[in-house]
Amino acid sequence: MTPPRRIGVLHGPNLNLLGRREPEIYGSASLADVDAAIAAAAAEQGAEVVTFQSNLEGALVDWIQARTADVDGWVVNAAGFTHTSVALRDALVASERPFAEVHLSNVFARESFRHESVLADAAVGVVAGFGVTSYVLGLRGLLARLEQA
Ligand code: DQA
């Protein structure tokens, strides 16, 4: 039997505050709710997730490096680092694993600095604006891509 797909889910800075942080933009779900939703969506498709949140760029890079051998791909909400972090992009590319970029909010309907992503052109796809469902859609798209590979 083939082992289940394992997907690493990264949450960037300030996402630990979900549910309390600007709920009119990010919704009322907590980070634990997001993790539960993505774990349930993965289980429906016979996959599993490992999740990690940090406010620190280097900690996210370290986690990617430490987990690469155990995962088939990544679902990434790099939060503010989406718009700035070459280091995170380099770590994801170096992992040689495909990743989906996700955002709770529709970043294109917000400030212009949020329209730029240093990750997006290296991602297999980008999902933004659907709240927690962005993570689930990103996961499904990534698993479908892995099946095609
Ligand atoms: C975000 C959008 C980013 O611009 C912002 O810095 C975040 C969250 C989102 O999920 O909508 O922290 O990635």
Side-chain angles (χ1 to χ4, degrees), residues 3 7 33 38 41 45 54 58 63 67 69 72 83 86 90 102 104-105 110 115 119-120 123-124 143 147:
I7 304 300
D33 296 333
I38 196 163
Q45 295 199 235
S54 182
W63 193 74
R67 282 296 189 166
D72 299 293
H83 317 295
V86 174
D90 287 347
V102 302
L104 296 151
S105 66
R110 302 180 61 196
H115 303 177
L119 309 178
V124 295
L143 289 172
E147 286 317 305

Side-chain angles (χ1 to χ4, degrees), residues 13-15 21 25-26 77-83 102-107 110 113-114 135:
N14 302 303
L15 294 175
R21 172 192 180 205
I25 295 175
Y26 297 115
N77 184 351
F81 290 147
T82 304
H83 317 295
V102 302
H103 300 285
L104 296 151
S105 66
N106 179 358
V107 284
R110 302 180 61 196
F113 63 84
R114 295 186 204 277
Y135 282 82

Side-chain angles (χ1 to χ4, degrees), residues 5-149:
R5 297 277 190 203
R6 187 178 295 131
I7 304 300
V9 181
L10 281 96
H11 306 286
N14 302 303
L15 294 175
N16 55 314
L17 300 178
L18 278 182
R20 287 175 286 145
R21 172 192 180 205
E22 299 177 274
E24 66 288 359
I25 295 175
Y26 297 115
S28 55
S30 67
L31 188 62
D33 296 333
V34 174
D35 283 344
I38 196 163
E44 268 172 30
Q45 295 199 235
E48 41 188 59
V49 291
V50 284
T51 65
F52 182 67
Q53 189 278 330
S54 182
N55 295 325
L56 304 178
E57 187 177 28
L60 291 162
V61 169
D62 281 346
W63 193 74
I64 291 166
Q65 291 184 6
R67 282 296 189 166
T68 293
D70 307 331
V71 303
D72 299 293
W74 313 100
V75 171
V76 180
N77 184 351
F81 290 147
T82 304
H83 317 295
T84 62
S85 180
V86 174
L88 201 51
R89 176 202 170 92
D90 287 347
L92 289 164
V93 171
S95 78
E96 299 182 336
R97 303 285 187 272
F99 72 93
E101 175 180 332
V102 302
H103 300 285
L104 296 151
S105 66
N106 179 358
V107 284
F108 301 103
R110 302 180 61 196
E111 303 96 322
S112 58
F113 63 84
R114 295 186 204 277
H115 303 177
E116 296 297 324
S117 165
V118 300
L119 309 178
D121 66 294
V124 295
V126 180
V127 185
F130 296 102
V132 179
T133 305
S134 292
Y135 282 82
V136 172
L137 295 173
L139 175 78
R140 288 196 184 133
L142 180 67
L143 289 172
R145 181 61 67 94
L146 287 165
E147 286 317 305
Q148 286 161 13

